[in-house]
Amino acid sequence: MWQTPELSASNHTNASDADPEGPLEHRSLKVGIITALGLMITLGNVAVLLVITSSVAGWSRNSRYFLLSLTAADSAFGLLVMPLNLCVSLLKDYTDGPDALCHVVAFCNATVYSTCMYTLATISLERYVAVFYPLQYSTLMTRRRTLQLIAFAWCFPPFLLLPISFPDSIIEVHFSNASLVCNPSYSTNITYSLSLTALIFFPCSIVMTFANLRVWCAAKRQRLKMRKHGCALRSRHNVASRVLVPVMAAYYTCWTPCMAAMIYNAVSGSTVPEWVEFVVVWLPTSNGFLNCIFYFWINRNFRRKFHLVLQRLALAVCPKLASSLGCSGISTTPFESGFLDNNNSVYERSSSVSSTCTLVSLA
């Protein structure tokens, strides 16, 4: 993973010689942790995909595109990153050096992680435009521009990280006994390492922090004005805080240790302790599960749609069980079930009106 520290080959050999049984015992525990985390991420994002592939009340078409992109990137943690690294950790011996497979796996790790960060940044940018420029939203965030932003988030990281995939490139790759992944040795090329940090982590962090902070401040001012006029609803007081604050807190908690360890390793050439490396390597993957909670499960419309999808699945798979649970009377009309045509015209207007009301309250 491009943002993680690595243990050198000599460190791996020495650790194995000093305690030959220790690595095997630790590996079983680490594999169990990685597997459990992968299952949580996969199940959470599959549930999200079942819902947002169809229309959800209050979500515009562009928002669904961005959220689908985020869900796909998060799903890649459990469906691609973790299986690949577990396979490599089971196939390779601790004393084996780097090979072509390790370079490919390291490239996949770096690409998925970078795509996730870029996708989070594009979501923050889209919400910033929706709140502060609601009247120009349809002009600024057209379907074409939305797809272009998503394409950039998925295509730019592979282009930027391509040197990692070549065995004889400027970046060396070693299999890490501590984190059970193939880690790039960024200490061999400090300039390239710092360039990756400057082009991926810091730009995404700046965009997310600026956009979410502005939206949170705007929501706070609106809430104070509504409270002053006695028209604020108690149940809606902390909507912005319940979403924006946890999103940013989870982002920095999961990603900052990785970046700090990577910069420390590249600049000093030293490594971090075994379990510290394991935690900072795999901590960002937990962001793929936390995104399911902060972006989806705390949304009332999403939960209602999820219950409806479960009921429909139960009715299709086992009609008798669904009938016993009282699900046989589910409405199938488009407006009662929440399914609308592909144009999502009603939801688009609803989102536009909501953004316009926000603008008027801030004026």
Side-chain angles (χ1 to χ4, degrees):
M1 302 175 187
W2 68 268
Q3 72 279 14
T4 58
E6 81 289 342
L7 293 181
S8 64
S10 60
N11 286 344
H12 298 163
T13 305
N14 293 337
S16 300
D17 293 340
D19 187 7
E21 297 297 331
L24 295 178
E25 179 183 358
H26 292 168
R27 183 172 68 173
S28 300
L29 176 60
K30 293 172 183 176
V31 168
I33 295 174
I34 295 171
T35 303
L37 184 59
L39 290 175
M40 292 171 56
I41 295 173
T42 302
L43 293 177
N45 284 281
V46 166
V48 170
L49 283 174
L50 289 175
V51 178
I52 60 176
T53 48
S54 59
S55 301
V56 178
W59 290 5
S60 66
R61 180 184 59 191
N62 290 341
S63 296
R64 286 176 54 217
Y65 287 157
F66 283 115
L67 293 174
L68 278 171
S69 176
L70 176 64
T71 305
D74 290 339
S75 300
F77 286 144
L79 298 177
L80 181 64
V81 170
M82 292 181 174
L84 281 177
N85 288 280
L86 287 179
C87 289
V88 172
S89 66
L90 295 175
L91 293 175
K92 289 181 67 66
D93 185 26
Y94 294 134
T95 58
D96 289 345
D99 53 21
L101 177 60
C102 248
H103 279 268
V104 173
V105 173
F107 171 74
C108 292
N109 295 340
T111 300
V112 172
Y113 278 45
S114 304
T115 299
C116 183
M117 281 194 284
Y118 273 112
T119 304
L120 288 170
T122 56
I123 290 176
S124 300
L125 182 62
E126 186 266 343
R127 293 188 174 185
Y128 175 83
V129 174
V131 171
F132 288 97
Y133 303 96
L135 301 180
Q136 295 84 22
Y137 179 84
S138 58
T139 303
L140 296 175
M141 295 299 298
T142 61
R143 182 175 180 273
R144 181 178 179 180
R145 289 182 180 176
T146 298
L147 296 179
Q148 286 176 344
L149 285 174
I150 294 175
F152 174 80
W154 283 87
C155 297
F156 182 67
F159 170 78
L160 188 66
L161 299 164
L162 191 61
I164 299 177
S165 63
F166 298 111
D168 298 326
S169 66
I170 58 176
I171 299 296
E172 297 180 0
V173 174
H174 294 285
F175 173 71
S176 174
N177 176 25
S179 55
L180 300 184
V181 296
C182 294
N183 281 330
S185 303
Y186 288 106
S187 58
T188 59
N189 195 315
I190 300 178
T191 303
Y192 182 72
S193 306
L194 298 180
S195 299
L196 289 180
T197 308
L199 292 174
I200 297 179
F201 177 74
F202 287 113
C204 294
S205 300
I206 292 172
V207 171
M208 288 185 63
T209 303
F210 173 78
N212 287 288
L213 185 61
R214 287 291 309 276
V215 172
W216 181 83
C217 292
K220 183 178 180 180
R221 290 197 303 268
Q222 178 188 5
R223 187 171 66 249
L224 292 176
K225 288 186 177 182
M226 294 179 68
R227 184 183 301 173
K228 181 179 179 180
H229 292 85
C231 58
L233 299 177
R234 294 182 179 181
S235 61
R236 304 292 290 178
H237 275 179
N238 298 318
V239 171
S241 298
R242 287 191 294 112
V243 178
L244 301 180
V245 174
V247 164
M248 293 306 303
Y251 173 80
Y252 280 109
T253 300
C254 292
W255 291 100
T256 303
C258 277
M259 301 309 304
M262 171 189 165
I263 295 175
Y264 169 78
N265 176 260
V267 174
S268 67
S270 303
T271 59
V272 295
E274 175 186 353
W275 280 100
V276 174
E277 179 181 344
F278 177 79
V279 171
V280 300
V281 165
W282 290 106
L283 186 60
T285 59
S286 62
N287 196 214
F289 177 74
L290 295 177
N291 287 335
C292 295
I293 299 175
F294 299 143
Y295 281 100
F296 302 102
W297 294 111
I298 64 175
N299 185 285
R300 184 180 304 172
N301 292 328
F302 176 86
R303 294 197 302 270
R304 289 176 179 173
K305 190 60 176 290
F306 179 71
H307 293 157
L308 178 63
V309 170
L310 285 184
Q311 291 171 355
R312 289 182 175 276
L313 289 175
L315 185 61
V317 175
C318 187
K320 293 183 179 180
L321 177 61
S323 178
S324 65
L325 296 176
C327 301
S328 58
I330 300 176
S331 173
T332 57
T333 60
F335 289 97
E336 290 180 351
S337 65
F339 289 89
L340 293 181
D341 57 351
N342 293 331
N343 293 328
N344 299 307
S345 57
V346 174
Y347 295 152
E348 292 285 354
R349 287 197 295 270
S350 175
S351 301
S352 177
V353 170
S354 176
S355 301
T356 304
C357 290
T358 303
L359 179 66
V360 171
S361 356
L362 296 175

